[in-house]
Amino acid sequence: PIHRPPAPPCSGRRATTPTTHEWPRPTMPVAPVAALAAVASVAAAAAARHPPPPGAPHNVALMAHHVDADGVLRVLLRGGTPVPAEPPAVHYAAWVAALAEAVRAAANVTLPVNATHVVDINLTDVHQHEGREGDGVRRADDAMRAAVEHAYFATHPQHGRFELLQVLGTSSNLTDEALFADERAAFRSYLGATLDQWSADRLWNRTAHIHHVYRHAPVPWPAKALAVYMHCDCGCDRTGSVADAYALRYLGMSWKAVNVWNQRLSYGHGQKCAQWRSLQWFCYSLGGADAAALDTCSRRVYDCVDDHAALVDDACGGDRHVE
């Protein structure tokens, strides 16, 4: 089933609810696959030439944009954390400037930096887990940064709002032939058809919610633009799960295309396996959880990276390697 949140009340802007069976697809600058591949290349080249200024998020990429019936520019973007490690703080002006540059570079559209309302969608894991020291430190850092973002928008509501949509990934393997062999193959179809009932990431719900916010969230006066920005730390793994699921569902991209897109935006390395498996289950569910969907979504475009062996430098731009 497709879970859709209720339409928000009007608040100075008209918020309409679609009457069609499915949400309308966002308007892309050009054809989705070509556009997003080009955006990834532009983002990577720009990052190499001009690193983001202090306080600005890295790895920012435009996903979709359109102007609504009220003349409000709405943009959907993905990227890395807007909160640097030292000192942990939101540098709002640098953040919005980075979003505006990504929109300009990808679509030649001007995002008004002084009149943009930001919806900050944080996809990090704020649970504290026992495990090797590196994992614990990174997760504690995620929780701290999320708290900083929440505090900023609580005290600066005129700039936007904060939402936490935690992404955990899954250890369940869609292509585990030992588990799904023979008479148990029907169980795999059942899991695909009921994905949001058992998957912690709830990608059907997450993507529908983000799409609703992007298309219909009220924009308070005097803002002239809405920027929906989804991010984790790197903008690679957890962001990759949600952004790629969104692209599969709403932007008409193929399984191969979203994998290539995410790899280009992830400095050329594979996505972490837990998040990649979650995305793979969504691909299967979206395709109807049948044999054809299994064939499509089982095709490996690149090798994912084992969660317990992936090393990333603090800037999230270094090489990943397996210990």
Side-chain angles (χ1 to χ4, degrees):
I2 298 176
H3 306 283
R4 299 191 179 98
C10 293
S11 175
R13 299 282 187 184
R14 183 177 61 188
T16 58
T17 302
T19 56
T20 55
H21 174 69
E22 182 56 274
W23 297 106
R25 286 182 174 173
T27 301
M28 294 297 296
V30 293
V33 175
L36 294 180
V39 166
S41 298
V42 168
R49 292 193 306 269
H50 306 290
H58 54 267
N59 209 15
V60 179
L62 177 68
M63 293 178 62
H65 76 281
H66 75 284
V67 177
D68 69 16
D70 294 317
V72 174
L73 172 63
R74 294 173 177 265
V75 296
L76 177 64
L77 306 104
R78 59 175 286 179
T81 177
V83 178
E86 295 295 340
V90 170
H91 301 273
Y92 181 77
W95 182 1
V96 177
L99 303 186
E101 174 57 25
V103 173
R104 184 206 63 77
N108 196 27
V109 171
T110 300
L111 185 71
V113 294
N114 295 320
T116 294
H117 194 74
V118 175
V119 180
D120 172 19
I121 298 181
N122 186 309
L123 304 172
T124 60
D125 174 3
V126 297
H127 285 154
Q128 301 303 302
H129 299 278
E130 294 183 1
R132 71 189 185 100
E133 182 180 357
D135 285 344
V137 169
R138 183 167 293 279
R139 290 189 172 96
D141 191 53
D142 284 345
M144 177 274 294
R145 288 177 173 175
V148 168
E149 292 168 41
H150 174 264
Y152 179 84
F153 286 108
T155 55
H156 299 81
Q158 71 277 17
H159 290 166
R161 73 172 193 262
F162 170 84
E163 293 189 12
L164 177 67
L165 302 181
Q166 182 172 257
V167 173
L168 301 173
T170 183
S171 60
S172 177
N173 188 348
L174 175 69
T175 58
D176 185 344
E177 294 306 326
L179 174 61
F180 300 121
D182 303 325
E183 69 277 3
R184 292 190 297 274
F187 182 52
R188 174 163 45 202
S189 296
Y190 167 80
L191 292 177
T194 61
L195 183 63
D196 266 20
Q197 294 182 26
W198 61 268
S199 170
D201 291 347
R202 301 180 65 206
L203 290 176
W204 279 100
N205 182 280
R206 294 282 193 263
T207 53
H209 174 71
I210 291 171
H211 192 56
H212 179 83
V213 171
Y214 164 62
R215 298 288 298 192
H216 304 290
V219 180
W221 187 88
K224 298 179 181 179
L226 177 78
V228 180
Y229 183 65
M230 67 178 88
H231 72 88
C232 52
D233 180 16
C234 179
C236 308
D237 302 308
R238 292 164 290 191
T239 301
S241 291
V242 179
D244 289 3
Y246 185 98
L248 285 169
R249 183 177 183 184
Y250 292 111
L251 303 183
M253 293 183 69
S254 68
W255 172 245
K256 179 179 179 179
V258 296
N259 277 269
V260 171
W261 175 46
N262 197 67
Q263 188 178 32
R264 289 180 178 176
L265 287 173
S266 301
Y267 308 100
H269 58 65
Q271 190 175 13
K272 284 186 178 180
C273 292
Q275 286 75 42
W276 185 84
R277 285 191 294 261
S278 183
L279 175 65
Q280 187 183 36
W281 272 108
F282 181 77
C283 173
Y284 176 64
S285 180
L286 183 68
D290 57 16
L294 179 63
D295 178 65
T296 296
C297 305
S298 296
R299 297 173 185 173
R300 186 176 293 274
V301 179
Y302 58 78
D303 290 331
C304 64
V305 181
D306 180 23
D307 286 327
H308 300 291
L311 300 179
V312 189
D313 66 15
D314 290 339
C316 208
D319 293 334
R320 291 193 175 194
H321 62 277
V322 178
E323 296 174 322

